[in-house]
Amino acid sequence: MEERHKKILQRNRINLVSELEPLNLYDGLIEKGVFTHDMIDEIKCSGARRDQARQLVRDLETRGSRAFPAFLECLKETGYHSLAELLQNGAPTVQIQPPTPIPVDRPVIQPLPISPPLVPPEEPVSPVPKPSTPGRASPEVEYVTLKGRIRRDSLQSYRMEANPLGHCLIINNVEFEPKSGLSNRNGSNVDCDRLERRFKALNFTVKVKTNLKQRQIRQELSALSKVDHSQYDCCVVVILSHGTEVSHSRFPGAVYGVDGQFVPVQHIATYLNGQYCPSLQGKPKLFFIQACGGDEKDTGFQVSPDEFEPPVVGADDQTDAIPVSSSSDSLSMSDEPDARASLPTSSDILVSYSTFPGYVSWRDPKAGSWYVETLDRVLEENAALHDLVVMLTMVNDEVSQNQAKGLYKQMPGSFNFLRKRLYFIAQP
């Protein structure tokens, strides 16, 4: 795009972001060759309307000399005549004054008391009748006596009774193209087999895709988002690949296709959010990422010998970061650290990472990764008893006690925006 056109877009960005409904423009921009379907899908993954409009304007600046006049044509065709005229004349931004707020009568909301009321000792306390979901004994509301007081526990559980529970997509990238500069991920097939068996045992329909390029990863996620999930209760995505640290506004990190091009985790999660995949609204969307979050290596800190005894692990453990130089012990790893941004709330999404953002993730070439091996075992031993968040805490604790090459540590974690407890197996 010509520099003068870029400056016009930049000067008028506030107006464009405030007024545009990007959905009205996508078809026209594709027909005129400004963007491809995949590019539009990526813009849609930016978030809400304003986020998409902002990303659309940014991407227009990279689309060649025909992009600006084609954009003007699309504005006129979709009724944005004043915006088209503003851009065509190259006028400076006209500040849009916000409308005068209309007073609205709102009910006064009284906060709940911090301490529950006392119950006289002579009064018996009995459970309050409440509706319950078949097959789930986990109460919606119950009263518990604690030293003469009543505690109200209103944390609910997700409905997890569909048969099957839902779809599970596993993307297993093992063999990377030479031009990518990324090493093959020996041991990843062990991880893939483990999780395929585990999620089948948990009553998911499992689909495994191997050695996908960036474009193919996006295509698989897009196809999954277009499935009708209305008869299911959950959806799971597992990605086993090399990873890196990138800037983000929701979820940190990115995973690589075998062609060396990455997909940000925040885009991966957005494919299944309530806006992009309506049939999963209100249902848990779970993402398990076995990949490096960056190139930093954690050497840990000293604790009391009574705290734990570090397990013995293999001397040939590898990381899933980007290799930038060869090394006999596979420890010379690096990628592109970038700025971290704040996280807005994303309803009913949980992203579990094999390692803390910015750090490497360790994998044994024969036995598989620390994280997946532990996750598989914890799910097998505890899914009948505990909810997912408790089990992931168990995984964090166990993996944190491992040690690579007698020196390096690893700390898994998750970004949890679930609203309820999640039990894979109905509680007795």
Side-chain angles (χ1 to χ4, degrees):
M1 179 177 290
E2 295 181 18
E3 194 62 33
R4 64 189 180 94
H5 289 157
K6 289 182 182 180
K7 290 181 179 178
I8 292 173
L9 289 176
Q10 291 165 2
R11 285 200 305 267
N12 293 279
R13 183 168 293 171
I14 293 177
N15 289 31
L16 292 168
V17 171
S18 300
E19 297 184 29
L20 278 183
E21 174 51 72
L23 290 175
N24 297 336
L25 302 173
Y26 289 150
D27 288 341
L29 291 171
I30 291 173
E31 289 174 4
K32 292 175 172 41
V34 178
F35 294 111
T36 65
H37 286 281
D38 286 342
M39 292 174 181
I40 292 297
D41 281 346
E42 187 167 348
I43 294 174
K44 289 179 180 178
C45 287
S46 300
R49 181 199 65 80
R50 291 179 67 90
D51 297 319
Q52 292 185 37
R54 189 176 294 108
Q55 190 64 46
L56 175 62
V57 174
R58 287 177 184 153
D59 289 354
L60 272 172
E61 297 177 16
T62 69
R63 298 305 299 158
S65 59
R66 272 286 302 154
F68 187 81
F71 181 55
L72 289 180
E73 291 177 18
C74 287
L75 290 176
K76 295 173 183 177
E77 292 169 359
T78 52
Y80 293 104
H81 298 291
S82 59
L83 282 177
E85 184 177 353
L86 188 64
L87 297 181
Q88 197 162 14
N89 295 335
T93 303
V94 177
Q95 296 295 330
I96 301 175
Q97 296 297 326
T100 304
I102 301 174
V104 178
D105 292 330
R106 301 185 185 277
V108 178
I109 299 175
Q110 297 294 337
L112 292 173
I114 296 176
S115 300
L118 291 174
V119 179
E122 66 273 13
E123 288 186 21
V125 179
S126 58
V128 176
K130 55 203 174 291
S132 60
T133 307
R136 168 76 73 250
S138 179
E140 182 172 324
V141 178
E142 66 176 2
Y143 292 98
V144 182
T145 57
L146 292 172
K147 296 183 179 180
R149 295 178 180 269
I150 291 181
R151 174 173 63 82
R152 180 181 175 88
D153 186 350
S154 60
L155 188 60
Q156 303 176 22
S157 300
Y158 284 104
R159 181 184 184 276
M160 294 285 282
E161 298 167 353
N163 187 18
L165 280 174
H167 290 284
C168 172
L169 171 65
I170 300 178
I171 296 175
N172 180 29
N173 284 346
V174 183
E175 299 176 354
F176 288 75
E177 297 177 358
K179 66 179 182 180
S180 71
L182 299 171
S183 61
N184 291 340
R185 301 182 60 256
N186 299 323
S188 188
N189 286 332
V190 177
D191 289 344
C192 183
D193 292 343
R194 277 189 176 127
L195 293 183
E196 181 180 6
R197 288 194 303 269
R198 182 57 46 217
F199 282 104
K200 282 182 177 178
L202 292 173
N203 199 23
F204 283 85
T205 300
V206 180
K207 177 182 180 182
V208 177
K209 302 298 290 187
T210 305
N211 296 334
L212 300 188
K213 299 178 181 180
Q214 180 213 51
R215 183 189 193 93
Q216 294 170 318
I217 293 174
R218 290 188 178 278
Q219 288 172 343
E220 288 295 330
L221 292 167
S222 180
L224 182 61
S225 73
K226 292 177 172 62
V227 170
D228 183 4
H229 298 266
S230 56
Q231 60 181 317
Y232 305 117
D233 291 335
C234 185
C235 189
V236 174
V237 174
V238 178
I239 300 186
L240 314 170
S241 188
H242 284 297
T244 187
E245 184 179 14
V246 299
S247 60
H248 65 94
S249 60
R250 291 170 183 83
F251 301 100
V255 295
Y256 278 94
V258 296
D259 56 351
Q261 302 298 313
F262 63 74
V263 183
V265 174
Q266 68 175 18
H267 288 185
I268 292 170
T270 302
Y271 275 102
L272 299 184
N273 70 13
Q275 179 185 13
Y276 203 73
C277 185
S279 61
L280 279 174
Q281 289 178 354
K283 300 177 182 180
K285 282 80 68 174
L286 311 177
F287 301 84
F288 299 90
I289 310 294
Q290 166 55 46
C292 281
D295 67 336
E296 295 185 62
K297 301 178 186 67
D298 190 354
T299 56
F301 59 92
Q302 286 190 330
V303 296
S304 166
D306 296 333
E307 181 75 14
F308 65 85
E309 181 178 348
V312 177
V313 295
D316 296 325
D317 287 333
Q318 301 174 354
T319 73
D320 285 326
I322 306 174
V324 294
S325 62
S326 61
S327 173
S328 59
D329 63 0
S330 301
L331 283 177
S332 294
M333 300 294 189
S334 180
D335 52 35
E336 302 171 3
D338 208 333
R340 294 183 173 88
S342 59
L343 288 172
T345 300
S346 297
S347 175
D348 306 300
I349 289 177
L350 183 144
V351 181
S352 175
Y353 293 87
S354 62
T355 189
F356 194 82
Y359 287 84
V360 298
S361 182
W362 294 96
R363 169 177 37 81
D364 186 288
K366 295 180 180 179
S369 67
W370 297 358
Y371 167 76
V372 170
E373 186 277 331
T374 308
L375 175 65
D376 174 50
R377 177 165 41 78
V378 168
L379 288 174
E380 179 182 20
E381 296 173 356
N382 297 278
L385 300 173
H386 297 293
D387 68 273
L388 177 60
V389 172
V390 169
M391 290 189 286
L392 289 177
T393 304
M394 296 177 182
V395 173
N396 295 350
D397 180 51
E398 290 196 30
V399 174
S400 72
Q401 299 183 40
N402 290 344
Q403 195 159 286
K405 304 179 187 297
L407 177 65
Y408 296 111
K409 309 291 291 183
Q410 180 176 326
M411 186 68 242
S414 59
F415 284 76
N416 176 14
F417 300 104
L418 298 180
R419 297 174 295 111
K420 307 175 184 180
R421 291 192 180 101
L422 191 153
Y423 294 91
F424 286 114
I425 299 175
Q427 301 302 287

